[in-house]
């Protein structure tokens, strides 16, 4: 294995610079491996020249956001209002009594309670 001098960048750093320069102009990662140069400026110039030869105009556009898709049975096909959605949620998820609410009631005040030893 050869030793690196301060002028030579580490191979991983050089590979990262290739990928960055290539992706900036729309090249794929496989195409970035073909770039030649030792500095960022040389790699950027080579990437631009290679992209021009391939007819690429710039980095690829990000994918369009997904909309629509499958819906649950409680949503329905038509767009509803927020109030209608809240009502469907309340119907599907009835209110639960929390332990704090249970402690507020007095179990001894219930109808039909009698003491056995009087």
């Amino acid at each position: 294995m050869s030793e690196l001098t301060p002028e030579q960048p580490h191979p991983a750093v050089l590979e990262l610079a290739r990928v960055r320069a290539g992706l900036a102009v729309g090249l794929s990662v496989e195409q970035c491996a073909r770039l030649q140069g030792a500095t960022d400026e040389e790699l950027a110039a080579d990437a631009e020249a290679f992209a021009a030869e391939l007819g690429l105009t710039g980095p690829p556009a990000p994918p369009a956001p997904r909309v629509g898709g499958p819906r649950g049975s409680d949503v329905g096909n038509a767009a509803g209002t927020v109030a209608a959605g809240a009502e469907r949620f309340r119907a599907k998820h009835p209110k639960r009594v929390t332990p704090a609410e249970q402690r507020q009631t007095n179990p001894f005040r219930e109808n039909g309670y009698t003491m056995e030893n009087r």
Side-chain angles (χ1 to χ4, degrees), residues 84-100:
E87 185 60 36
R88 283 192 301 267
F89 179 83
R90 279 189 224 104
K92 189 173 182 181
H93 306 283
K95 184 176 181 194
R96 297 181 183 141
V97 179
T98 63

Side-chain angles (χ1 to χ4, degrees), residues 31-56:
Q31 293 168 334
C32 294
R34 299 180 180 185
L35 298 180
Q36 300 294 317
T39 65
D40 291 339
E41 294 79 18
E42 291 174 359
L43 289 170
D46 191 31
E48 289 174 11
F50 189 38
E53 288 178 18
L54 296 175
L56 300 174

Side-chain angles (χ1 to χ4, degrees), residues 4-22:
L4 296 175
T5 62
E7 295 82 26
Q8 289 180 314
H10 191 274
V13 174
L14 188 57
E15 181 65 25
L16 179 62
R18 279 190 191 112
V19 171
R20 284 183 178 165

